[in-house]
Amino acid sequence: MDYKDVLRIKLAVLKREHGDLDEAIDAIQSKPMPDALRMQRLKKQKLSLKDRIAQIEDQITPDIIA
C-alpha cells in the first residue's frame, strides 16, 4: 500500500464523516425548536472537514501548471 492509497482511505473516511454531519444537521433543523448552538458547532466541524477533504484531494491529484 503506497502513500496515495492511504490518502484515498483517509479521504473516504472524511467524506463519510462529512455526510454524517449533514444528516445530523438536517435532523436538528427538522425539530420544532432546533438547538442553534449545537447546529452551529456541527456546521463548523463540517466546514473543517471540507477543508481537510480539499487538502487531501490536492495531495492525491495536485494541480499541474501547463
Side-chain angles (χ1 to χ4, degrees):
M1 186 182 298
D2 70 351
Y3 178 68
K4 285 193 177 185
D5 290 335
V6 173
L7 287 178
R8 285 186 189 96
I9 292 168
K10 179 78 172 166
L11 183 62
V13 170
L14 292 176
K15 285 185 175 184
R16 176 65 190 181
E17 288 178 28
H18 190 266
D20 290 347
L21 285 174
D22 249 347
E23 291 175 14
I25 290 167
D26 288 344
I28 291 171
Q29 287 176 335
S30 69
K31 293 183 178 182
M33 296 280 292
D35 183 348
L37 181 59
R38 185 164 183 224
M39 194 163 49
Q40 181 182 5
R41 288 180 180 158
L42 291 176
K43 286 183 176 183
K44 193 172 186 178
Q45 279 183 317
K46 187 178 160 192
L47 185 59
S48 176
L49 279 176
K50 184 179 175 183
D51 290 343
R52 288 170 49 201
I53 287 168
Q55 288 173 346
I56 291 174
E57 286 174 338
D58 287 347
Q59 289 177 2
I60 292 172
T61 54
D63 292 339
I64 299 172
I65 300 173

